[in-house]
Amino acid sequence: MVEKYKKQRRESITKRGGTRAPATVNRELALLSRIFTLAMRHKLAATNPCSEVELLHTDNRRVRYLLDEEEERLLPLLVGPRAHVRPAVLVAIGTGMRRGDQLNMKWDRVDFQRDVIWVPNAKTGQSYQVPMSAQVREIMLELRRAAEGSEYVFANPQTGRAYTELRRPFDSACREAGVKGLRWHDLRHTFGTRLAEAGHSEATIAELMGHSDPKTTRRYTHGTERAKRAAVEATSRREPAGGEQRAELSLVAK
């Protein structure tokens, strides 16, 4: 019955007209398995049938980050009704924060004296520290001046509460800018990729992204075309200059 459920959930059409991702079905199976585990603990079931069912194969690797030229097209569109999205996007690129952590962040997490943000990591429950760049600090100061007493950094001025959703204006701006296939979470990938391109170590990037395991960082650091081209150019044999070449030829003749 569990195998039949897995197959039906994977192949059935959703309200949006597509199929469910393998990871979605696996999360449902994990929940079902947890229910049976609790049932066994309370002597309501003898076995857990989910233990005999293999999870669907998933590939969570996603190579997508915001290119420099895409950023140049996107940012000018974050004005007017979308103006509140611009600082959130720039802070996301400049800190690598997850969307939920960013939108739920309160001012007591921002230390202007030390120029750091204590990111409230909802995924692990442990906050981590990210220094503010000059650009991020200026944005945070502007938001602070406009906060009007709200405890949230990214607050709706009409309610004083934190924004719960920025996806619609962000997605519409991406479509208008011709930026295809970019999700908000890819701004976090952009942060990690730019740090890696600048030559920072995996351990440093892991700390700045709040990863407890540096191996996780590899999913967020992608080699850009510019970095890969510079790397292969470094392998090219340098031809000696004219004078050096003549000197080498003279030594060979001797």
Side-chain angles (χ1 to χ4, degrees):
M1 289 177 64
V2 178
E3 285 284 5
K4 182 179 179 180
Y5 171 82
K6 180 179 75 172
K7 184 175 185 296
Q8 184 271 330
R9 293 294 286 172
R10 182 68 181 97
E11 296 178 354
S12 61
I13 304 300
T14 65
K15 293 180 180 180
R16 295 186 177 182
T19 56
R20 291 174 183 81
T24 301
V25 179
N26 287 344
R27 283 194 293 269
E28 295 178 359
L29 294 175
L31 177 59
L32 182 60
S33 178
R34 178 60 178 164
I35 292 172
F36 273 104
T37 299
L38 292 174
M40 292 173 62
R41 181 182 300 173
H42 294 283
K43 312 299 182 184
L44 300 174
T47 60
N48 181 355
C50 296
S51 62
E52 302 297 325
V53 176
E54 293 186 3
L55 297 178
L56 295 170
H57 175 73
T58 60
D59 185 358
N60 293 324
R61 293 174 298 175
R62 178 179 169 83
V63 182
R64 183 67 170 102
Y65 51 89
L66 186 64
L67 301 175
D68 293 347
E69 57 268 27
E70 291 177 330
E71 184 176 351
E72 293 176 0
R73 300 199 306 268
L74 178 62
L75 292 180
L77 298 176
L78 300 179
V79 294
R82 302 184 187 126
H84 63 291
V85 182
R86 181 186 176 93
V89 167
L90 290 173
V91 170
I93 295 173
T95 64
M97 280 192 279
R98 298 179 180 88
R99 181 174 57 182
D101 296 336
Q102 185 176 349
L103 296 183
N104 291 326
M105 185 171 57
K106 298 181 179 180
W107 283 113
D108 60 1
R109 296 286 183 171
V110 183
D111 188 342
F112 286 108
Q113 187 171 359
R114 297 177 58 197
D115 284 344
V116 297
I117 297 174
W118 290 94
V119 181
N121 192 342
K123 194 168 185 178
T124 64
Q126 297 180 346
S127 300
Y128 62 95
Q129 180 180 309
V130 178
M132 287 188 282
S133 65
Q135 182 187 44
V136 170
R137 188 178 193 278
E138 184 59 34
I139 293 172
M140 299 300 273
L141 285 172
E142 291 178 3
L143 291 172
R144 185 59 175 157
R145 287 190 286 266
E148 298 181 357
S150 175
E151 62 179 337
Y152 292 97
V153 176
F154 298 95
N156 187 330
Q158 296 180 351
T159 64
R161 304 295 296 173
Y163 284 107
T164 58
E165 184 58 67
L166 297 176
R167 186 168 138 187
R168 289 184 180 179
F170 176 74
D171 288 349
S172 66
C174 286
R175 286 195 299 270
E176 192 173 332
V179 178
K180 299 180 180 179
L182 187 76
R183 305 178 307 181
W184 187 280
H185 193 70
D186 295 329
L187 301 179
R188 180 168 166 83
H189 286 246
T190 304
F191 175 73
T193 300
R194 291 182 180 180
L195 288 175
E197 186 183 26
H200 298 289
S201 69
E202 193 173 275
T204 298
I205 300 173
E207 289 189 16
L208 290 173
M209 299 187 74
H211 292 153
S212 56
D213 184 356
K215 293 181 181 178
T216 308
T217 309
R218 295 170 191 165
R219 293 176 53 194
Y220 293 85
T221 54
H222 316 294
T224 62
E225 291 300 320
R226 181 171 52 198
K228 288 187 286 187
R229 187 171 297 279
V232 297
E233 286 294 339
T235 66
S236 300
R237 183 175 180 273
R238 294 289 184 268
E239 293 294 336
E244 296 173 344
Q245 189 172 16
R246 285 193 297 272
E248 286 187 4
L249 291 174
S250 176
L251 288 173
V252 172
K254 292 179 180 179

